[in-house]
Amino acid sequence: MSASKTVAKRSSAPWKVVLICEDETDGRVAKKLAHLVCPNVHLDYLPARGCGEIKRKLDKLVDDARRDVGRLGCVAVLLDGDQKNLDRDEPHRAIRQGCKRLHVPFVACLQDMEAWLLADPGCRTYLQLPPLKGRTDGLAGTKSQVAAAYYKVSGRSYEKRLARQKLADKLTGPDLTANQSLAAAVTALLDCQPRKLSQSAHRSSKPAG
């Protein structure tokens, strides 16, 4: 039994999560991963125009997402870590602190989403990469590795919007033991209790100024 299927059994009741993410491609990949790993989580996403917009408009984005889920779901924020120090480097630090203030789970790929993609055997097969040995969260240059493999297979450059969607379609279920931040993201979704977070959101949410 794969690690992803084992984790998915932690909950049997469906609920909805709206994921605030940097752009459309991050949301599409996250939605497909959630479907494979957490089948009882109905995940939608609210794309922004990069980290900067999330930092500037976090309160409004969270309010918009909470209106979508109502009292029967919860909201989370997903960022590419880009190998930054999440407690020190901007805009990640400010977004993380804002999420804490708003009682919203903060989820980050420690490197980039390509490291998550490389943890999936279906994606690796499409890219004609050998079976994974070890972990992908310790690999250097994951984005350039995916870009080179994608060009070799498709004859096209790795344009993020189209290429990530193509790779999302090839996902079959990632090995959660291969990437610590991906496993942490799944745990955050599974522990995102709708009633508890909805009550906190009702008390703490403020209209965006």
Side-chain angles (χ1 to χ4, degrees):
M1 181 176 290
S2 71
S4 60
K5 292 181 180 178
T6 302
V7 173
K9 286 188 172 183
R10 290 181 56 188
S11 175
S12 59
W15 70 87
K16 183 175 182 178
V17 176
V18 173
L19 197 63
I20 298 169
C21 51
E22 295 181 49
D23 56 39
E24 182 81 16
T25 62
D26 285 359
R28 289 184 178 184
V29 172
K31 186 178 180 74
K32 180 63 179 291
L33 287 170
H35 173 72
L36 292 168
V37 179
C38 313
N40 299 310
V41 174
H42 174 74
L43 188 142
D44 280 336
Y45 56 91
L46 178 60
R49 294 184 179 90
C51 288
E53 183 173 72
I54 294 177
K55 178 182 177 180
R56 293 190 305 273
K57 300 182 178 180
L58 181 62
D59 288 60
K60 182 180 186 304
L61 290 168
V62 169
D63 283 343
D64 289 346
R66 281 175 170 156
R67 279 194 291 271
D68 189 4
V69 299
R71 290 184 174 274
L72 298 177
C74 59
V75 175
V77 173
L78 170 67
L79 297 182
D80 268 10
D82 296 325
Q83 301 186 34
K84 294 181 181 291
N85 184 318
L86 302 180
D87 294 319
R88 185 186 63 208
D89 297 338
E90 297 291 355
H92 296 67
R93 182 195 66 83
I95 295 171
R96 190 174 193 175
Q97 289 185 343
C99 288
K100 184 177 181 180
R101 171 175 57 83
L102 295 170
H103 304 281
V104 171
F106 175 85
V107 179
C109 316
L110 291 183
Q111 292 170 276
D112 46 47
M113 191 159 283
E114 280 72 19
W116 285 12
L117 292 170
L118 288 175
D120 186 277
C123 181
R124 295 185 70 87
T125 297
Y126 171 74
L127 293 174
Q128 298 181 8
L129 295 173
L132 181 64
K133 295 181 180 179
R135 304 171 62 92
T136 66
D137 47 10
L139 293 176
T142 49
K143 188 169 291 185
S144 59
Q145 181 180 349
V146 169
Y150 183 82
Y151 180 79
K152 184 177 180 180
V153 168
S154 68
R156 299 184 177 185
S157 61
Y158 186 70
E159 296 179 7
K160 185 178 174 183
R161 182 176 64 85
L162 297 176
R164 274 194 178 176
Q165 177 58 44
K166 181 73 171 181
L167 295 183
D169 292 340
K170 302 300 179 180
L171 295 172
T172 56
D175 179 359
L176 298 181
T177 66
N179 191 288
Q180 183 180 2
S181 65
L182 177 55
V186 171
T187 299
L189 291 180
L190 292 174
D191 290 344
C192 184
Q193 298 297 329
R195 182 174 301 174
K196 178 180 178 182
L197 283 180
S198 294
Q199 290 173 349
S200 298
H202 182 71
R203 289 194 300 268
S204 63
S205 180
K206 299 179 182 179

